[in-house]
Amino acid sequence: PVPLLLAGLGGLFSARAGLVNIGLGGLMIIGTWFGAWGAVNFDSAWAGLLFAAVGGAIGGLLHAIATVSFGVDHIISGVAINILAPGMTRFLSDQVFSNWEGGSITQSPRATGLPKVNVPYLSGAKLPESLPCPSFLPGGDNPTCGVLGGIADDGWFFVSDLASFVEGFLTQISLYTILAFAFVPLCAWSLWKTRLGLRIRISGERPEAGESLGVNIYYHKYVAVITSGAFAGLAGGFIAMELAGGYREGQTLGRGFIGLAALIFGNWRPGGVMVGSLVFGYPFVLALRDGTGESTHALLLVI
C-alpha cells in the first residue's frame, strides 16, 4: 500500500489546486529510475530517496509548464507523461545502466533500501545487547522476547491471532514505510492549517476569489503540481529500492492509476487516501504470497 499512499497524496496536492494528475504512473516510473540511480551511484538509500523525489518533481514541473503556463488540458498532458516516461527511462538505462556492472537496458544494478527497525519489547524480534529482556516479559532472558510474541505463542482464541497480526506491523519496519505514513498527518496539516495550503486550495476551488485578494494563482498551482510529482517520485523510489531491489522496466504495474483511485475513494483527503491505499494495496500483498493456499484464505478477509 505504500506506493499507492504516496501516489495518492501526490494526486491530492494537484487535485486541490484544480488539476487532476493523470500522469502519476509516468511520474512513478521516473521515480523508480532516479531512485535506483541515486542509491547505486552514491551507494546510499537516502540518496536514492532524495533523487526519486527530485526526478518526480522534475516531471511534475514539466506537467505544470504544460497545463498551467500553456493551458494544455491536464488529461492530455498526464497521458503524454505516461506514454513518454517508459521511453525516457529506457533511453537513460541504455546510456547509464548498460555501462554499469550488473545493469542493462531494462534494469539497474542492485540497490539497497532504507534500514528496517523493530519496536523493542513489543515486536518479539531479537534485541540488541544494549536492550536486555526484562524477566517479567514473556520469554524471560530470551533475546527474542516481546509482549506480543508471548501472547501469540499462548494460543488464545482470537487474541493470539490479533497479537500476531499487530506484531507484523512492528517487526522489520522499513524507515521508508514509517516516512510514508508520517506524511499523512503532515499533508493534512499543510493543506488545511497553513497559509500555503489555503492558497493552494483556493487556487483550485475559487481562483477568481484568490486573484481578487492578491494570491498568485499560477505560482501556487506550480507548487502543488511539483509537490505532486515529488510524492509520485517517492512512490516509484519505494518500488525500486524496497520491493524490487533496483530499477526494473515495467515494475510499477499501473499503480499510478490505482493511487488515483485511492484518492477518489478517500474523498480527496489524506486520511481517506490512507484507507484507500490499504484497501487497494491488499491484492498486491496477496500476489507476494507463496501460493500454498494462504493467499486464498486471506482473500476471505476482503469478502
Side-chain angles (χ1 to χ4, degrees):
V2 174
L4 306 184
L5 173 61
L6 291 170
L9 291 177
L12 173 65
F13 275 87
S14 181
R16 286 293 176 177
L19 297 170
V20 178
N21 195 348
I22 300 295
L24 289 174
L27 298 174
M28 288 175 68
I29 293 174
I30 296 173
T32 60
W33 194 93
F34 277 93
W37 178 85
V40 174
N41 189 58
F42 294 95
D43 194 23
S44 169
W46 292 105
L49 183 149
L50 175 63
F51 277 95
V54 171
I58 293 174
L61 175 62
L62 296 176
H63 187 43
I65 291 174
T67 56
V68 179
S69 296
F70 291 97
V72 176
D73 184 271
H74 52 257
I75 304 297
I76 295 175
S77 178
V79 171
I81 290 176
N82 290 337
I83 294 174
L84 293 175
M88 185 192 75
T89 52
R90 187 176 180 86
F91 171 77
L92 291 174
S93 297
D94 182 45
Q95 298 296 311
V96 179
F97 292 151
S98 294
N99 301 320
W100 291 1
E101 183 179 357
S104 69
I105 193 174
T106 60
Q107 67 179 34
S108 72
R110 181 74 180 177
T112 58
L114 295 182
K116 294 179 172 57
V117 298
N118 301 308
V119 178
Y121 306 124
L122 290 178
S123 66
K126 186 175 181 179
L127 299 173
E129 294 182 359
S130 59
L131 293 174
C133 181
S135 59
F136 59 85
L137 289 179
D141 295 329
N142 190 325
T144 59
C145 74
V147 173
L148 295 175
I151 296 175
D153 293 338
D154 286 337
W156 297 344
F157 173 73
F158 181 74
V159 175
S160 294
D161 291 333
L162 181 62
S164 181
F165 177 78
V166 175
E167 185 183 14
F169 286 94
L170 305 178
T171 306
Q172 289 293 290
I173 315 169
S174 171
L175 292 179
Y176 214 130
T177 301
I178 296 175
L179 182 65
F181 281 93
F183 278 132
V184 175
L186 181 61
C187 290
W189 173 79
S190 62
L191 280 173
W192 276 272
K193 298 296 183 180
T194 66
R195 179 181 299 178
L196 176 63
L198 174 63
R199 293 182 175 183
I200 287 176
R201 287 187 290 117
I202 201 172
S203 297
E205 296 173 11
R206 294 292 299 276
E208 67 282 357
E211 287 181 341
S212 68
L213 297 174
V215 176
N216 189 334
I217 301 299
Y218 279 16
Y219 168 78
H220 288 91
K221 283 181 178 288
Y222 262 88
V223 170
V225 178
I226 292 173
T227 302
S228 176
F231 272 107
L234 287 174
F238 182 90
I239 295 173
M241 294 188 294
E242 300 292 335
L243 297 184
Y247 167 78
R248 302 290 184 272
E249 191 174 65
Q251 65 190 152
T252 58
L253 300 176
R255 287 183 176 92
F257 285 110
I258 302 175
L260 185 61
L263 171 63
I264 299 172
F265 176 89
N267 198 28
W268 317 94
R269 291 185 175 272
V273 172
M274 181 180 68
V275 174
S277 67
L278 292 172
V279 172
F280 295 131
Y282 191 78
F284 283 100
V285 177
L286 292 182
L288 301 177
R289 305 298 295 181
D290 56 10
T292 59
E294 296 179 5
S295 59
T296 304
H297 298 154
L299 185 60
L300 295 176
L301 292 175
V302 177
I303 300 175

